[in-house]
């Protein structure tokens, strides 16, 4: 029974610790009580109709992967109108707005992404159904973009001053095969200095992301001479090689992922071939692997590479005629993974600001623009966009302004706390 009582004491201590106010909670309350922050909070509420207009207008400008320019151009105007006159667009299409700090030693980035998952031609007209706004991309992440404009407007009009610089970023290429190219460019050699990074993306208000799920994506293509199924029988068959590779990969990977940090794999699409009575000259598959642990991502990748090589060798061994089969293994997506220690000030501030608005926060995992800084050891997080919503990445996506202003106020509070409020 001794063990039991120790466990009870430990549990009691943990619960008490959660209930107690931390230093960061006090810091956040203190900042939130400052007159210019209270004024900024009011302005955010006053701006609600305008923020909704911005959301609808931006949603109705299509921004398919790799085609964000039109939306970016409009966003640049909105950023300038909000008060950052010298906002600009960089080489890859990110919209950047610099907010100079009074001291300016460090820089905090606030980021929302411009792109959606929807291809060209998708109907992005916003339709109102009761208090819900329906349109593909309205939540993910057009709401993040509208939120950021409201943050800039409120900081400007309430004359909020920060010690460190803030860099407002509307990024390109967050989704899918965009492969985080906007943020990867931001963190290039010689890119702008960024010491802390806050992405606004994701539905739930309690979300404070501190764990980045990494992924490797490949397009795997087996190639051979191809020919008649009867007349040229005996040539190496790329479809057979591909099937064999998938079989070996699934067999070994399936076993590997049973234990340890969550690691997944998926063959999302396969294709190729000419007709039922032709030996194909090409067959391909798209492969996605993910893990929260960079080491395990490398390990499952190695399992994949080994399966491909084994399949190629065996299939060439079986071939009776013709040139050997070849294989291309093209990396088409590489999202780095990593973990931000929950005791990091940025994470503590994000948690405390969430509690300040009466929501019990939870630490989460995901794949967002924050993956890039997290993998480099730069404090980074992703927070929710406020309001209510659903149907992300589907044509039925919707967003509703259920206390949406709280999400904007929270983003402003975390940003100002991280950049340091300059007391006038
Ligand atoms: Zn998103």
């Amino acid at each position: 029974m001794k063990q039991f009582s120790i466990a009870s004491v430990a549990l009691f201590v943990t619960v008490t610790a959660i209930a107690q106010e931390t230093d960061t909670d006090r810091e956040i309350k203190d900042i939130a009580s400052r007159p210019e922050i209270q004024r900024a909070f009011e302005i955010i509420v006053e701006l609600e109709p305008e923020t909704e207009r911005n959301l609808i207008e931006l949603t109705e400008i299509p921004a398919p992967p790799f085609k964000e320019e039109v939306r970016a151009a409009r966003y640049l105007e909105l950023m300038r109108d909000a008060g950052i006159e010298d906002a600009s667009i960089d080489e890859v299409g990110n919209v950047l707005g610099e907010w100079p700090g009074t001291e300016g030693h460090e820089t905090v980035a606030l980021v929302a992404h411009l792109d959606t998952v929807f291809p060209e031609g998708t109907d992005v007209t916003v339709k109102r159904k009761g208090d819900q706004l329906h349109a593909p991309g309205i939540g993910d992440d057009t709401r993040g973009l509208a939120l950021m404009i409201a943050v800039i407007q409120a900081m400007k009009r309430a004359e909020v001053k920060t010690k460190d610089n803030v860099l407002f970023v509307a990024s390109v290429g967050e989704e899918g095969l965009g492969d985080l190219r906007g943020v990867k460019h931001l963190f290039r050699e010689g890119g702008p200095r960024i010491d802390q990074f806050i992405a606004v993306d994701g539905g739930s208000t309690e979300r404070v992301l501190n764990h980045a799920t990494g992924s490797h994506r490949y397009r795997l293509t087996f190639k051979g001479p191809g020919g008649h199924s009867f007349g040229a029988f005996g040539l190496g068959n790329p479809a057979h090689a591909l099937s064999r590779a998938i079989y070996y990969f699934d067999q070994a990977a399936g076993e590997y992922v049973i234990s340890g940090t969550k690691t997944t794999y998926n063959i999302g699409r396969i294709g190729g071939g000419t007709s039922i009575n032709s030996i194909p000259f090409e067959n391909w598959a798209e492969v996605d692997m993910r893990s929260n642990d960079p080491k395990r991502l490398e390990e499952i990748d190695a399992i994949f590479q080994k399966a491909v090589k084994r399949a190629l060798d065996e299939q060439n061994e079986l071939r009776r005629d013709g040139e050997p089969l070849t294989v291309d293994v093209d990396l088409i997506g590489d999202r780095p993974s990593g973990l931000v220690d929950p005791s990091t000030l940025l994470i503590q501030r994000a948690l405390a600001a969430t509690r300040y608005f009466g929501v019990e926060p939870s630490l989460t995992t995901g794949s967002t623009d924050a993956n890039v800084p997290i993998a480099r050891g730069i404090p980074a997080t992703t927070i929710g966009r406020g309001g209510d919503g659903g149907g992300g990445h589907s044509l039925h996506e919707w967003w509703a302004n259920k206390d949406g202003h709280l999400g904007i106020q929270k983003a402003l509070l975390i940003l100002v706390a991280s950049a340091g409020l300059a007391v006038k």
Side-chain angles (χ1 to χ4, degrees), residues 117-118 134-140 385 388-399:
V117 295
F118 303 99
H134 287 245
I138 192 155
D140 185 7
R385 341 169 170 107
D388 199 4
H393 290 202
S394 87
L395 296 174
H396 314 291
E397 188 172 356
W398 62 275
W399 186 82

Side-chain angles (χ1 to χ4, degrees), residues 364-417:
T364 63
T365 290
S367 178
T368 65
D369 271 340
N371 279 45
V372 178
I374 288 176
R376 289 165 185 246
I378 296 166
T381 187
T382 300
I383 58 171
R385 341 169 170 107
D388 199 4
H393 290 202
S394 87
L395 296 174
H396 314 291
E397 188 172 356
W398 62 275
W399 186 82
N401 194 2
K402 185 167 170 277
D403 294 329
H405 64 281
L406 297 179
I408 308 174
Q409 293 170 341
K410 186 177 74 178
L412 183 143
L413 187 54
I414 299 169
L415 179 67
V416 172

